[in-house]
Every structure is written in C-alpha cells, then in structure tokens.
Amino acid sequence: MDRLKGKKILIAITGGIAAYKAPELIRLFIKSGCDVWAAVSENACRFVQPLTLETLTGRPVLLDDFTLLDGGKIPHIEASAWCDLMVVAPATGNIIGKTAAGIADDLISTLLMAASRKPVLFAPAMNSRMYLNPIVKRNLNTLRESGYYFIGPDEGEMACGEEGIGRLADLSCIVEKVKDIFTEKDLRDITILISAGPTQEPIDPVRFITNRSSGKMGYALAKAAKRRGGRVILVSGPTSLSVPKEGITLIRVKTALEMEREIEEHFPYSDIVIMAAAVADYRTDTPFPQKLKKSDKAFQLELVRNPDILYTLGKEKTRQTLVGFAAETENFEENALQKIRDKNLDLIVVNNVSLPDAGFEVDTNRIMLIDRFGKTRKYPLQSKDDAADAILDKIIKIRKKTKGEKGPS
Ligand code: PMT
C-alpha cells in the first residue's frame, strides 16, 4: 500500500543547474508507483534533454504552451487538470517570484496558475546570495501563506563553487515530502518514541560487540510516523541512515546504557513507544583502556548483562502504548506471547530473521503482529516502509480500543 502508487505527478523543471537531477527524481517517483508527466522551461532545456524525460516518463514532454496536445487540448489546462500534485524541481527564484506575483506568461507559470486547486510543492535551488535576497524571502513567505508546500533548499557546496544554502533538497527527501502531503495525519499531536539500529558495546578502543541491525526497520517507522503527523523522537544506535530533519528529533547513541538513558528521559511524555532496536543483551563490564594485544593463549572475555530496556518500560508504563519487536528463528508465536506477558506490551512485531528477505539488513520484511488480546495477523513480504505503516495502523486500532481503559493521551 505505497502511498504514492497510482498518483499522477506533474514535474515542472525550471532553468537552474540542478535541473540535471530531474531525471533521477522522475525515476524515483516512477519507482514509487507514480505516473509522471514532465514540463520543462525553455532555460531548463539547456541543462536537461527533453528526450531523456520523455523516455523516462513515457509521455510527450511539455515544452511550450502553443503546441496543442492531441485533440487540440491546451497543455496548461490539460496537464494541471490531469495531475494529483505538481512538483517544481528545481524551482528558480524567477518562477517563485512569478507565482507570488500572479504572473502567467510562459508554460510553467501558466501551469502553476491553472493548478490552483492542486497541491504544489516547490523545491527551490539557487545560489545562496539569491536565496537570501529579501525579495526572494518575501516571495517565499507569500507562497507559504497561500498554502504552497516547500522542501529545502539544503546547505552545502553549490555548482558555482560557493558554500551556503541553496542546493536542491536531497531527491529522496523530495519524494518523502510528497508522500507526506498525501498521507492522512492520523498521528497528529501524538508523541512517538522509536528506537532503531544496533548497539555497540566496546571491548577496547578499537573493538566492540554488535549485531546485524541496519536500522532500516526503525527508520522506516520514524518516517512513516512523521508522515502521519506524529512528533517523532528517534533514538538510534550507529547506522549509516538519515531521516528528514523536519519533524524527527534524531538522537544518536552507541551503547545499550546510552540508549536506556535516552529512552528513559523521553518515555514519560511519549504516547507510543516502539522498540525496534536490536539492543545487545551483554557488554563488557569495563572496556580495556588500551588496544588488546594478541597472544598465542586462548582469550576469555567476561560479559555482564545489559538492562532490558523494554522490560523496565513495561513496569513503568502508565498511558503509553508499548510495542516490542521479536527477532525469532523458531517457535514464533509462543516466544512472542511470552514477551508480551513478560514485558507488559500492547503489541509485538515478530520478524522471522532466518529468512533472507526478512529481518536484519534487507529492505523488506515478513512480519506477524500479535496484540495483547492475543489477536494475530501475518503479513506477506512487503517493503519495510509498508510494514511500518501496517504496524502504525495496528497501533492506532489498539489505542482506539483501549482508550477507555487508559484514558486519552
Ligand atoms: O535494523 P534492521 O536491519 O532493519 O532489522 C530490523 C530488526 C530485525 C533489528 C528489528 O525488526 C527487530 O526485530 N528488532 C528487535 C531485535 C531484538 O533485539 O529482538 P529481541 O527478541 O532480542 O528483543 C525483544 C525486544 O526487547 C525488542 O523490542 C528489543 O528492542 C527489546 N530489548 C532487547 C534487549 C534489551 N537489552 N533491551 C530491550 O529493550
């Protein structure tokens, strides 16, 4: 149930160097199941070949407003009525200014004027001195107040060699923002605390004990909860993943003890807590201060138990909906039910980590949800993004069912 499946996206590309990224953006939308139609300004054609866009989208590229479409249809009327959403990427200072001033004198500006009843997302990209120009700022504010959506720009090195704010937002963040716009905000005003990734338990300054968790499942949950309007706090062990800065507070930790400290700090005011992290059950009591030297003798490492964070939360829980994960290889239901009881959970997500397309590291998962009433549902293979939405759907149902018991939060 990808939120973008079947959505019709009209991409308007205006004339900045970042236009060279537009084909990749189109590819990402198509990969998410969208039908894409591209419109290019005259200047954007200097940076990106219409043939490339046409090949990717499978539709004739809109180049000007005076070449009528089949049946004598007018491009800006036809395309703006066709789309579910319009993305302007990259959006130059010029098109932002024209839209703010109500000018419609070329293909892209007339498309924007005609798309007045559709959601429109601008992804500005320009030199930082242009972006910070008070006139551009004023135009951006005018558009924001009129209900236009924005993503970026990002900071960093720009095509002109200068550093600053003005880079086109990360392409995956643009897609994420569009998903956001289409998503019902059923977690609005709800605080969701999520743990993700592995923990690293140091042995000496260069070695540690860890596991195969990539963080993908927990990060997918954080992004989905944010899309659905939640206030998200993500406590993450070491991963190479990123999340949109807007709407997700990312707290990075390394060890189980650090994770416990952060989770405990944010637990009291959270409404939903999801422990997707693979927390190491053991650690060395005191890591060796210097790098261990090898010798010919066998070497024994003494480990002590880490606290079971979820178990403690189960004891402390008041109004929170508490969700655990179970990474299992056998006796799935039996082990999961035991965890629900032991840790006082409302829901457990069981993943069969013995399968190559589920559990650790991969982009997909096969989950089974078991709630505290013993109700079980198995899901087929799906992306971790879809699994995250299925888990959140179930949490919302449980919260509705138990509202009377726990009181609204
Ligand atoms: O990160 P990915 O590569 O996407 O992989 C996803 C995942 C397989 C890591 C994830 O979906 C998952 O199953 N996470 C929980 C793994 C795990 O630690 O399972 P467990 O059965 O050992 O623990 C049960 C629950 O107790 C978990 O919610 C865990 O977060 C929690 N726990 C465990 C140990 C501990 N010391 N403290 C805890 O809070």
Side-chain angles (χ1 to χ4, degrees), residues 195-199 211-221 239 241 256 259 263 274-282 305-313 323-328 335 339 343 345 347-353 358-365 367 384 391:
S195 73
T199 62
N211 57 64
R212 285 173 43 213
S213 170
S214 62
K216 286 179 181 172
M217 191 63 245
Y219 278 60
L221 278 160
T239 73
L241 306 176
M259 182 169 279
I263 295 280
I274 310 175
M275 284 293 295
V279 186
D281 286 317
Y282 295 92
R305 274 301 305 263
N306 263 330
D308 190 320
I309 305 171
L310 193 54
Y311 178 82
T312 313
L313 299 182
V323 182
F325 267 73
E328 301 290 351
N335 291 345
K339 276 182 190 150
K343 304 193 182 191
L345 307 180
L347 179 70
I348 194 149
V349 184
V350 188
N351 16 216
N352 181 347
V353 291
F360 292 102
E361 293 170 312
V362 287
D363 291 327
T364 50
N365 211 352
I367 57 166
K384 282 186 175 165
I391 294 164

Side-chain angles (χ1 to χ4, degrees), residues 129-141:
R129 279 176 287 124
M130 294 168 79
Y131 183 69
L132 297 173
N133 184 315
I135 296 170
V136 175
K137 268 190 163 176
R138 190 193 62 201
N139 291 336
L140 290 167
N141 285 340

